[in-house]
Amino acid sequence: MEYEAVIGLEVHAQLLTRSKLFCGCATVFGSPPNTQVCPVCLGMPGVLPVINEKAVEYAIKMALATECRINERSVFARKNYFYPDLPKGYQISQYDEPLAEGGHIDIETADGKTKRIGITRIHIEEDAGKLLHGEGDGEASLVDFNRAGMPLIEIVSEPHISTPEEAVSYLKALRDILLYLEICDGNMQEGSLRCDANVSVRPVGSKEFGTKTEVKNMNSFKFLKDALTYEIGRQISLLESGERVVQETRLFEPSTGKTRSMRSKEEAHDYRYFPEPDLLPLVVEQEEIEAIMVMLPELPAQKKERFMKEYGLPSYDAGILTSSKRLADFYEECVRLFEEPKTISNWIMSELLRLLKEHNISIEETPIGADRFTALLKLVREGKISGKIGKEVLEEMFATGKDAQTIIEEKGLSQISDESELLTIIDKILEENPENVERYRAGKTKLIGFFVGEVMKATRGKANPQLVNKLLKERLDK
Ligand code: ADP
Ligand code: MG
Ligand code: ZN
């Protein structure tokens, strides 16, 4: 029997506000433990939460960017459970009346088609603190409350995802949107973007869903893909051997590439949700939504579309160039300086991105600005240097921080020193002057001067004379 997977993701994104969700504490990552805390986020008796307006604005931005409906009225709720990193004994979240519902994100599937992944809901909630294990004598567990009360949005997808690859595409697209909106730094290693994956399998063609498991603890795209691949395989083997999938929460272990059971449904929490009595329902007026709507930047999908139309780029180029906002900005800066959009795209994709990767730096840190990059492309277009030499010059620019012109002058590269280029010219000239070739070969070797002159004429003086001499001799003495 053939099986197919059904996947839905729950993604937590930490919002880039300066202060926490319900108090004025700072949100700087990596501060010493318990230095960004106050009675509110420590859950002291008698304190009252006050909602962070910026967090609401950011959440609305994400909801609008994914075309969710924004509920005029949403309600904060207490999600009760005991854990040492949760000082209040509950987390303030949103439950049956979330901020936004019914959106979507479009992804590209393996066969190049667009697939729409539904978004069930987006809600606002606070983060918990963090346990640090193996502290002190190596046996103590300590708790850092800096993260307690940090603002999060949770984005829950519909079970519309069918493969691990699609899950990765979806998470990448979601992350791109967050980055474009500048509401989350998207750093998965630091936990600013976290993903739980719900997955089940069913026989192909079946309408009903199978029993799902939820996999936690995946902090990279690769882990998400590996965890899902493993989990789908595990579930299929269970079914094939006549066993059942148990609904449970599982943990992905990067060291083994496997998932293992964390808790079964029987042990699942009963969170005893109830409306948070210390906060009023969140009311979002239509004018507020409209004001935020006009602040929305162009989003990745729109930008890709525009790049294809405006610059005549293929979908592939446009997809890569808009994969980061900074890269897209860099590209457009280049186009403003040099009106050959496809040439720029080629050079960015094949050369600049390769160099960035080799040096392990991002486009934000590129040592070559758009002005210098396009100056190089202009030199290539003018024929001052060949494309091949241009690539070498670019590497040199990367390594030394010098501009193209300086490197060309210093290295005498403006001359044509490209053997194959010169040989093409030389062969043409030899072909056009058969009598002189014969006379040379019959002993009139002084004719070498004539041939050198011809090559210089043809290259407008840019050929490297020593090289031309050498190549001519090789050809004529053959
Ligand atoms: P829970 O109450 O266990 O958290 P939800 O119904 O809230 O379950 O769904 C959580 C996530 O699981 C959503 O992303 C949803 O799309 C996905 N999901 C629900 N049912 C299935 C299923 N049978 N297989 C895979 N994913 C599922
Ligand atoms: Mg869940
Ligand atoms: Zn605080």
Side-chain angles (χ1 to χ4, degrees):
M1 201 182 315
E2 285 254 14
Y3 290 92
E4 65 180 6
V6 173
I7 301 165
L9 298 189
E10 295 169 276
V11 177
H12 286 93
Q14 189 181 303
L15 299 174
L16 278 175
T17 55
R18 301 233 311 270
S19 56
K20 291 187 180 179
L21 188 54
F22 299 117
C23 62
C25 287
T27 54
V28 182
F29 181 81
S31 299
N34 300 310
T35 54
Q36 293 173 170
V37 292
C38 74
V40 174
C41 54
L42 287 175
M44 298 294 175
V47 299
L48 286 173
V50 177
I51 185 75
N52 181 331
E53 191 176 1
K54 208 73 187 168
V56 175
E57 180 193 311
Y58 285 178
I60 292 174
K61 276 191 174 169
M62 188 57 180
L64 290 174
T66 51
E67 295 188 40
C68 285
R69 259 183 345 268
I70 293 171
N71 292 324
E72 197 188 311
R73 179 181 185 276
S74 61
V75 173
F76 287 100
R78 287 189 183 181
K79 179 180 180 178
N80 301 279
Y81 62 94
F82 173 77
Y83 204 68
D85 67 6
L86 193 69
K88 295 196 291 288
Y90 60 85
Q91 196 179 357
I92 303 179
S93 179
Q94 294 188 308
Y95 184 51
D96 46 8
E97 294 181 72
L99 175 76
E101 293 170 273
H104 56 82
I105 289 178
D106 291 341
I107 61 165
E108 204 170 299
T109 56
D111 54 5
K113 293 208 185 79
T114 300
K115 178 169 174 182
R116 179 154 286 188
I117 309 297
I119 289 178
T120 318
R121 54 186 277 150
I122 297 179
H123 68 252
I124 303 171
E125 64 182 28
E126 62 177 338
D127 209 343
K130 202 175 181 173
L131 289 182
L132 307 165
H133 300 292
E135 298 289 312
D137 55 8
E139 285 172 31
S141 286
L142 301 178
V143 58
D144 174 9
F145 287 115
N146 283 351
R147 206 177 65 181
M150 292 283 259
L152 304 176
I153 47 174
E154 178 170 349
I155 303 133
V156 181
S157 89
E158 291 290 322
H160 291 167
I161 301 165
S162 312
T163 64
E165 290 75 21
E166 283 182 23
V168 169
S169 298
Y170 168 81
L171 187 59
K172 279 194 172 152
L174 191 159
R175 181 173 179 272
D176 283 348
I177 296 172
L178 290 167
L179 292 177
Y180 266 61
L181 294 172
E182 298 177 342
I183 60 173
C184 171
D185 68 22
N187 190 326
M188 296 183 74
Q189 272 74 46
E190 290 178 2
S192 317
L193 188 68
R194 315 199 282 265
C195 167
D196 302 335
N198 298 268
V199 55
S200 62
V201 298
R202 63 180 175 189
V204 171
S206 158
K207 283 268 174 297
E208 270 155 53
F209 286 158
T211 304
K212 73 175 162 83
T213 58
E214 181 173 350
V215 189
K216 300 217 176 248
N217 194 29
M218 294 160 298
N219 64 353
S220 75
F221 294 115
K222 183 174 182 299
F223 291 166
L224 172 64
K225 190 173 161 202
D226 292 352
L228 282 172
T229 305
Y230 175 82
E231 187 56 21
I232 291 166
R234 189 188 68 88
Q235 291 187 11
I236 291 175
S237 334
L238 278 175
L239 297 184
E240 281 186 334
S241 59
E243 291 173 68
R244 288 184 320 129
V245 173
V246 181
Q247 184 171 344
E248 62 185 355
T249 303
R250 298 178 70 85
L251 205 67
F252 176 66
E253 286 183 327
S255 55
T256 58
K258 295 180 179 173
T259 63
R260 67 169 168 83
S261 180
M262 200 170 124
R263 57 172 180 260
S264 72
K265 204 191 175 189
E266 287 71 50
E267 306 160 65
H269 293 120
D270 172 4
Y271 293 119
R272 292 154 18 247
Y273 279 101
F274 64 85
E276 166 62 66
D278 289 340
L279 285 164
L280 288 167
L282 180 64
V283 174
V284 185
E285 311 275 356
Q286 195 55 38
E287 302 93 83
E288 239 171 297
I289 296 174
E290 273 155 27
I292 293 171
M293 181 88 91
V294 298
M295 292 185 337
L296 284 190
E298 185 181 39
L299 294 165
Q302 300 164 334
K303 204 183 274 288
K304 180 180 174 195
E305 196 70 4
R306 180 170 65 78
F307 274 28
M308 291 170 69
K309 261 205 216 105
E310 201 170 320
Y311 305 125
L313 296 178
S315 162
Y316 179 76
D317 294 41
I320 290 180
L321 294 173
T322 56
S323 62
S324 103
K325 186 158 181 260
R326 184 61 199 106
L327 183 61
D329 289 346
F330 180 86
Y331 175 75
E332 292 206 281
E333 263 175 74
C334 289
V335 174
R336 250 173 265 129
L337 297 165
F338 182 62
E339 58 296 347
E340 287 187 24
K342 179 59 181 154
T343 308
I344 296 170
S345 168
N346 291 345
W347 277 78
I348 289 181
M349 292 198 305
S350 63
E351 303 306 318
L352 187 63
L353 292 182
R354 177 178 58 78
L355 286 169
L356 289 169
K357 202 169 170 199
E358 274 173 24
H359 289 76
N360 199 18
I361 53 179
S362 68
I363 185 73
E364 281 83 4
E365 305 158 289
T366 173
I368 303 174
D371 48 349
R372 289 191 165 192
F373 188 67
T374 50
L376 170 70
L377 301 195
K378 281 179 195 161
L379 292 172
V380 174
R381 179 177 63 183
E382 288 160 10
K384 183 122 188 165
I385 50 172
S386 66
K388 191 166 156 250
I389 288 175
K391 290 169 191 177
E392 288 169 32
V393 171
L394 187 65
E395 290 195 11
E396 193 72 17
M397 287 165 72
F398 225 92
T400 62
K402 292 179 184 166
D403 65 34
Q405 190 63 50
T406 308
I407 292 168
I408 290 163
E409 276 162 19
E410 281 179 7
K411 301 206 145 189
L413 291 171
S414 59
Q415 292 172 336
I416 301 173
S417 309
D418 180 342
E419 285 208 15
S420 63
E421 203 172 326
L422 288 177
L423 280 174
T424 314
I425 298 164
I426 286 170
D427 287 342
K428 187 160 168 280
I429 286 164
L430 297 188
E431 212 175 280
E432 286 166 351
N433 297 279
E435 316 86 10
N436 280 341
V437 173
E438 251 184 61
R439 288 167 64 203
Y440 176 93
R441 287 189 175 144
K444 242 185 148 297
T445 51
K446 266 198 247 158
L447 272 170
I448 188 89
F450 159 77
F451 288 113
V452 171
E454 287 300 302
V455 176
M456 286 307 179
K457 233 188 277 168
T459 59
R460 283 176 293 142
K462 281 186 225 146
N464 177 326
Q466 289 86 6
L467 193 56
V468 171
N469 254 296
K470 177 180 144 266
L471 294 174
L472 272 171
K473 282 213 181 95
E474 280 172 13
R475 278 290 200 261
L476 288 164
D477 293 344
K478 211 163 51 178

